[in-house]
Amino acid sequence: MTTSETPFIRSRGWGSIIGMILFALVWSGFTGFATAMAIPDIPAKLGAGEYAILLIFLFPLVGLGLLGWCAVAVLHQLRFGNTVLWLDPYPGAIGGQLGGEIRISEALPPTAKVEVIAQCLRSERHRKSKGGYETRTRSEWETSMTGRLERSAQGSTVRFLFDVPADLPPPSPKGDRWHHWALRVTADIPGVDMDLSFELPMVVSTQHSAVRLPGLERERAKARSEQLVQLLNPDQQGDTLYFDLPYGRDRGSAAVLAMAGLVFGGAGVAMMLAGDGVIPVLMGLIFAPLGLGMLAGALYLPFNRLQVAIEPDAVHLRRHWMGREVSRRHLPLDALRGLTIEESGSMSDGTRTTHYYRVVLETGEGKRWPVAESIAGREVAEEAQRFLLSQTPLKRLATEKSG
């Protein structure tokens, strides 16, 4: 992502794509060569009962997956590489507004739904136990809207407008901890889907945008309401409000965990069975449990169901896994002390990171119990929190906090 000293900002360029292509080629070449060298020995190994040798094929399969991702990234760059973001005001105003247009050289389908997401992100560098550093990024604030799409002979224009809270930090230089702002633009369209990312220059200011989008707040309220209903599946029966978070949630995260679990777990088992010496066995003892933990998570996420019943004096929670009840909680309202939002994880496909949240009840004993989870995006999580604190018996928590 690149910024400039003008209100025109270009989307992410070829730099990271080329780096990923080089990594994929090196990985595929090395693992492919190693696998080819091992193939003549496979029949003898299988005859001796050493079936773990088959796990060697996992590594070139991962290479094929990386090459496939690179191919999609190249096609995306060729199709949308000339996209430009125009900001008004420039820079965006923290405490004012963030608005502008995304100018796309291709005419998008008139039915395309273009999602525009603004984020304030915090990144931190952490030293890894085995040396080196890793960067972890979390979203401190985000909001989204369906952009207003206009088509012309020259391409498409997507207009957007956000109100930005005044209590957010401006971008800061990279270090051990820094803040940065980003705008993501996505759309499911025929061929390669659009998925663009821009770095946003932001300053503390009350300046407003010249962009005008009539009916925007009404559209946003309707969209948030629809997302909330889809998330919670509310059902009012007498004085009790029921939520049902069904099976099948987090399928994307589960698929990523399953793939990573197979690679790490398979590598660990192969090291322990075929390794010669102490170090391969020790490495296998590290990789195998890590892979098994990932596989356990992949089995848990999409196959669990959370049912919530909010009564005038208590909250009931029931958790099921694969059709069997595994936990039940009864929480009296007078024992509850708060309703907060916390990030539960994130998933990245290399160009886009989706942060997931849950809304949790806090008891006087310091225990925390989720009443809504698997929420993609902080804005929907905040809407769920507002709904629970205003339209259910949990509003007592908001009254006690304000009092």
Side-chain angles (χ1 to χ4, degrees):
M1 297 179 296
T2 59
T3 59
S4 64
E5 297 302 321
T6 73
F8 297 97
I9 302 171
R10 292 197 173 275
S11 62
R12 185 174 62 94
W14 285 100
S16 59
I17 297 176
I18 292 174
M20 194 63 185
I21 291 173
L22 293 175
F23 175 79
L25 290 174
V26 171
W27 175 282
S28 300
F30 179 78
T31 57
F33 177 77
T35 303
M37 293 295 292
I39 287 177
D41 298 328
I42 290 178
K45 294 282 188 181
L46 294 178
E50 298 180 17
Y51 299 106
I53 190 66
L54 295 176
L55 295 174
I56 196 174
F57 289 103
L58 286 175
F59 296 96
L61 286 176
V62 171
L64 290 176
L66 291 173
L67 291 173
W69 181 91
C70 291
V72 173
V74 168
L75 292 175
H76 182 276
Q77 183 67 16
L78 292 174
R79 187 176 185 182
F80 300 110
N82 294 324
T83 300
V84 173
L85 165 66
W86 172 75
L87 281 184
D88 183 346
Y90 179 85
I94 301 173
Q97 289 186 322
L98 171 66
E101 298 177 351
I102 300 103
R103 299 173 179 177
I104 307 164
S105 59
E106 178 176 335
L108 300 181
T111 57
K113 182 180 180 182
V114 183
E115 185 179 15
V116 184
I117 307 163
Q119 291 180 307
C120 175
L121 304 168
R122 183 183 69 187
S123 293
E124 297 180 353
R125 293 177 74 239
H126 295 269
R127 183 182 292 274
K128 296 189 290 186
S129 58
K130 298 180 180 180
Y133 291 88
E134 64 176 349
T135 301
R136 302 172 187 171
T137 300
R138 301 173 68 91
S139 174
E140 292 200 344
W141 173 83
E142 68 178 54
T143 186
S144 63
M145 64 166 291
T146 300
R148 297 286 178 85
L149 175 62
E150 299 178 0
R151 289 159 42 96
S152 67
Q154 290 73 37
S156 303
T157 299
V158 179
R159 304 172 70 199
F160 65 93
L161 180 64
F162 298 110
D163 294 320
V164 183
D167 58 350
L168 296 172
S172 55
K174 286 188 177 182
D176 291 335
R177 176 183 297 180
W178 71 97
H179 288 90
H180 49 111
W181 288 70
L183 191 79
R184 298 204 330 255
V185 186
T186 64
D188 293 335
I189 56 179
V192 180
D193 292 336
M194 183 172 67
D195 194 341
L196 302 168
S197 183
F198 302 87
E199 184 178 346
L200 290 176
M202 302 290 293
V203 295
V204 177
S205 170
T206 59
Q207 189 172 357
H208 280 55
S209 174
V211 175
R212 294 290 179 264
L213 301 178
L216 178 59
E217 284 305 317
R218 183 169 61 253
E219 291 180 7
R220 285 177 173 167
K222 181 181 178 181
R224 288 194 298 265
S225 178
E226 291 174 349
Q227 288 176 297
L228 193 61
V229 170
Q230 185 177 12
L231 170 71
L232 300 177
N233 299 298
D235 181 21
Q236 184 77 44
Q237 298 183 17
D239 293 334
T240 303
L241 179 62
Y242 295 92
F243 297 152
D244 186 2
L245 282 74
Y247 296 112
R249 294 173 287 121
D250 298 316
R251 292 189 295 271
S253 299
V256 173
L257 279 176
M259 179 62 69
L262 287 173
V263 173
F264 280 92
V269 172
M271 290 176 185
M272 288 188 291
L273 295 179
D276 183 13
V278 176
I279 294 179
V281 173
L282 290 177
M283 293 296 294
L285 290 174
I286 295 173
F287 277 79
L290 180 61
L292 291 175
M294 292 178 177
L295 289 174
L299 286 174
Y300 174 77
L301 288 176
F303 298 112
N304 85 91
R305 176 187 183 187
L306 177 62
Q307 292 178 299
V308 181
I310 303 178
E311 297 179 340
D313 59 352
V315 177
H316 301 272
L317 305 174
R318 296 175 63 192
R319 177 82 66 177
H320 293 79
W321 184 67
M322 289 190 173
R324 178 174 296 182
E325 184 176 303
V326 293
S327 68
R328 183 189 292 245
R329 295 285 183 272
H330 171 78
L331 306 175
L333 248 64
D334 56 11
L336 301 177
R337 295 295 178 265
L339 183 73
T340 60
I341 297 171
E342 62 182 29
E343 186 170 341
S344 57
S346 62
M347 186 174 67
S348 175
D349 60 7
T351 59
R352 173 182 179 182
T353 300
T354 302
H355 297 267
Y356 292 90
Y357 300 85
R358 58 185 178 183
V359 182
V360 298
L361 285 168
E362 299 178 347
T363 67
E365 301 172 346
K367 295 182 178 180
R368 303 166 67 83
W369 305 103
V371 290
E373 58 189 14
S374 306
I375 308 173
R378 187 176 184 89
E379 189 174 50
V380 182
E382 292 174 346
E383 182 69 15
Q385 183 189 41
R386 283 193 294 268
F387 171 78
L388 292 168
L389 290 176
S390 62
Q391 304 298 324
T392 76
L394 294 176
K395 59 187 176 183
R396 179 186 306 176
L397 300 177
T399 304
E400 292 175 354
K401 185 175 181 179
S402 62

